[in-house]
């Protein structure tokens, strides 16, 4: 891996600085209001979204022909690290629709795009995706029990999902359902767009996670829900292909946002160390704190280069499955480690709501589970490497 491959253009550096300034100046002061929602949060979000559009930094990673900023993939990866500094920034800058926007743009009909994609990219409606089910292991989607049966010109859907994030605020849910029960396991499922106001669509609850409901992780139930057959996304039996097209780049986006979160925690840790006096000196003079800072800087840079390399392979069309699995596991560990150290340097202040660290720490714990738990990705890494050894008796990390 050659670090020179990841040199950013001056234009991208300027855009990163512009986005960071916007987040620090406009988003972070209102991020708690946005996260808590309500009328105040809605007003705050709409205001910063309009400002982002005015400043030309809205939906940067989506193509211009569907209303996005049209950044090339690698440039967007670099920008997404900055967006990751604040969870609210994803919504403020329209990047929260990147995965669903890409999915609908690739597989949607023109009618589906007019109805769902373009309004979503404009920020007028929000998406959600129904993948995970409480009755089966989320890491093995071949086990899903949700069904969709074609009855004349309508799909009849029965499903029980949870962690359908944002369903309580979404205009539609793209449902992952078994439509081809007789096919082999990776060709059994399809994706079907279901408006959330369809009769029989029920939001059972917003699932409390880590003591809060602000993540809007919803449990939903669909009972004999009927939607037009034209709401099928892609072809019948393509559900797994479509899901992977959505999740692959999404793991890169997650990893970049984790870097942004880790960098923010690192900044807070350094500021605290340089200003907090205890036991005869500043914290920054103490070797144990210096080790926290050195270890954190090293881990962040390692995760950054690994993530850039995985993104580069995706961008050029190479097989990046090992790379993606590695950054999914390692990036989540780095995120936790850096925030944990930052809290330790802040002492009791770090676990209060007076800093963003306690919320960041809770959110960091999810990273080891969503989009595939650590254990699944770790097994995948080992199996692919061992397969290479078995066939070639040699594995060169420069070539994988």
């Amino acid at each position: 891996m050659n670090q020179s491959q990841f040199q950013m253009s001056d234009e991208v550096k300027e855009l990163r600085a512009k986005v960071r300034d916007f987040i620090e100046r406009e988003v972070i002061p209102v991020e708690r209001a946005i996260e808590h929602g309500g009328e105040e949060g809605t007003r705050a979000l709409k205001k910063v979204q309009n400002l982002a559009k005015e400043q030309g930094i809205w939906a940067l990673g989506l193509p211009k022909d569907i209303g996005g900023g049209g950044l090339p993939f690698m440039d967007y990866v670099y920008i997404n690290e900055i967006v990751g500094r604040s969870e609210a920034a994803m919504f403020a800058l329209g990047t929260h629709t990147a995965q669903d926007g890409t999915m609908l743009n690739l597989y949607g009909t023109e009618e589906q795009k007019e109805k769902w994609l373009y309004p979503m990219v404009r920020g007028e409606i929000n998406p959600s995706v129904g993948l995970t089910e409480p009755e089966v292991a989320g890491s093995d989607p071949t086990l899903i029990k949700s069904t969709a049966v074609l009855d004349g010109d309508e799909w009849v859907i029965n499903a029980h999902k949870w962690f359908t994030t944002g369903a309580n605020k979404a205009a539609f849910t793209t449902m992952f359902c078994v439509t081809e029960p007789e096919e082999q396991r990776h060709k059994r499922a399809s994706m079907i767009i279901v408006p959330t106001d369809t009769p029989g669509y029920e939001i059972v609850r917003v699932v409390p996670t880590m003591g809060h409901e602000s993540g809007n992780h919803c449990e939903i139930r669909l009972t004999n829900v009927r939607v037009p057959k034209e709401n099928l996304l892609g072809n019948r039996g393509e559900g797994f292909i479509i899901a992977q097209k959505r999740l692959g780049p999404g793991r890169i986006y997650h990893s970049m946002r984790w870097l942004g979160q880790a960098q923010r925690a690192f900044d807070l840790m350094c500021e605290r160390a340089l200003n907090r006096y205890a036991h005869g000196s500043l914290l920054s003079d103490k070797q144990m704190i210096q080790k926290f800072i050195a270890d954190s800087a090293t881990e962040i840079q390692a995760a950054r280069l690994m993530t850039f390399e995985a993104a580069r392979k995706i961008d050029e069309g190479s097989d990046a499955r090992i790379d993606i699995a590695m950054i999914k596991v390692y990036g989540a560990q780095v995120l936790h480690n850096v925030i944990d150290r930052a809290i330790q340097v802040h002492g009791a202040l770090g676990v209060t709501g007076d800093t963003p660290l306690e919320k960041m720490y809770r959110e960091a714990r999810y990273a080891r589970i969503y989009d595939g738990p650590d254990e699944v990705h770790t097994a995948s890494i080992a199996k692919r490497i061992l397969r290479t050894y078995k066939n070639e008796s040699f594995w060169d990390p420069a070539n994988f």
Side-chain angles (χ1 to χ4, degrees):
M1 178 171 58
N2 183 351
Q3 186 173 349
S4 65
Q5 294 172 321
F6 307 129
Q7 294 301 315
M8 302 173 201
S9 66
D10 290 340
E11 291 78 6
V12 170
K13 290 179 181 178
E14 290 175 7
L15 185 56
R16 276 168 61 101
K18 182 177 181 179
V19 169
R20 176 162 181 170
D21 178 70
F22 182 85
I23 291 171
E24 298 290 337
R25 182 168 38 83
E26 303 291 350
V27 180
I28 286 179
V30 296
E31 63 182 350
R32 289 190 180 180
I34 292 173
E35 288 161 1
H36 290 144
E39 292 185 11
E40 180 185 357
T42 301
R43 285 196 302 270
L45 178 58
K46 187 57 65 177
K47 179 181 177 181
V48 293
Q49 286 179 332
N50 289 335
L51 286 172
K53 291 174 183 177
E54 290 172 8
Q55 295 191 22
I57 54 175
W58 174 261
L60 290 171
L62 289 171
K64 283 189 176 181
D65 62 358
I66 64 172
L71 275 187
F73 178 72
M74 282 302 300
D75 290 350
Y76 178 62
V77 167
Y78 299 141
I79 299 300
N80 212 34
E81 177 181 5
I82 305 302
V83 175
R85 292 181 68 85
S86 169
E87 185 178 349
M90 291 191 300
F91 301 92
L93 278 75
T95 68
H96 65 294
T97 64
Q99 288 177 268
D100 293 279
T102 300
M103 178 176 70
L104 283 170
N105 193 39
L106 286 173
Y107 294 98
T109 63
E110 190 54 42
E111 181 182 359
Q112 290 170 346
K113 292 177 182 180
E114 288 286 346
K115 192 170 185 179
W116 308 113
L117 176 61
Y118 304 140
M120 182 182 72
V121 176
R122 292 194 296 266
E124 297 168 0
I125 62 174
N126 289 318
S128 59
V129 172
L131 292 171
T132 307
E133 299 180 2
E135 292 84 6
V136 298
S139 59
D140 186 358
T142 64
L143 300 176
I144 66 163
K145 296 183 177 180
S146 299
T147 61
V149 178
L150 194 59
D151 180 22
D153 291 334
E154 294 180 318
W155 289 104
V156 181
I157 303 172
N158 285 278
H160 183 203
K161 304 281 189 180
W162 73 339
F163 285 88
T164 308
T165 302
N168 56 333
K169 298 183 178 181
F172 66 96
T173 301
T174 307
M175 295 291 295
F176 191 64
C177 304
V178 173
T179 59
E180 322 300 317
E182 303 306 318
E183 290 286 347
Q184 60 103 335
R185 64 190 191 124
H186 286 101
K187 294 183 179 180
R188 298 173 67 238
S190 302
M191 290 286 206
I192 300 173
I193 299 171
V194 180
T196 54
D197 60 358
T198 306
Y201 185 113
E202 174 193 4
I203 294 180
V204 178
R205 59 174 175 152
V206 177
V207 180
T209 55
M210 306 295 279
H212 292 262
E213 295 181 352
S214 60
N216 294 306
H217 304 300
C218 297
E219 178 182 358
I220 64 173
R221 192 179 295 276
L222 279 65
T223 305
N224 294 325
V225 167
R226 288 180 172 267
V227 297
K229 66 178 182 180
E230 291 79 16
N231 284 26
L232 177 71
L233 184 64
N235 298 317
R236 294 180 64 152
E238 281 190 339
F240 284 94
I241 295 173
I242 296 173
Q244 286 304 313
K245 284 286 186 181
R246 181 183 185 276
L247 291 172
R251 290 174 182 136
I252 294 287
Y253 299 154
H254 285 320
S255 297
M256 293 308 302
R257 287 196 297 270
W258 296 343
L259 287 172
Q261 286 283 289
Q263 186 67 50
R264 185 178 177 187
F266 181 78
D267 293 343
L268 291 168
M269 176 167 52
C270 291
E271 290 167 9
R272 178 72 168 180
L274 288 166
N275 289 283
R276 187 66 165 180
Y277 186 90
H279 302 287
S281 68
L282 290 170
L283 294 183
S284 58
D285 294 328
K286 302 182 188 304
Q287 287 187 343
M288 189 172 294
I289 304 302
Q290 291 170 356
K291 181 166 173 54
F292 282 176
I293 291 168
D295 286 349
S296 297
T298 301
E299 290 175 6
I300 290 172
Q301 183 66 352
R304 179 178 288 119
L305 293 176
M306 288 173 65
T307 302
F308 286 175
E309 174 68 359
R312 182 189 65 79
K313 287 190 175 181
I314 289 177
D315 193 41
E316 68 180 19
S318 300
D319 186 351
R321 285 175 290 184
I322 290 180
D323 305 73
I324 291 171
M326 283 179 169
I327 63 168
K328 175 64 174 65
V329 175
Y330 184 67
Q333 292 173 357
V334 170
L335 177 65
H336 171 273
N337 291 348
V338 177
I339 297 173
D340 184 68
R341 294 179 192 126
I343 289 175
Q344 199 70 13
V345 171
H346 280 75
L349 175 63
V351 296
T352 72
D354 292 351
T355 80
L357 291 170
E358 62 88 20
K359 182 179 187 298
M360 291 165 67
Y361 190 73
R362 285 186 277 110
E363 296 290 335
R365 186 59 184 86
Y366 303 146
R368 292 183 55 207
I369 298 173
Y370 59 69
D371 280 8
D374 282 1
E375 293 78 9
V376 169
H377 290 293
T378 299
S380 173
I381 293 165
K383 287 177 181 177
R384 292 183 185 280
I385 291 173
L386 291 171
R387 193 177 304 140
T388 301
Y389 267 100
K390 183 178 180 180
N391 295 333
E392 302 174 17
S393 300
F394 179 70
W395 178 71
D396 185 350
N399 297 325
F400 74 82

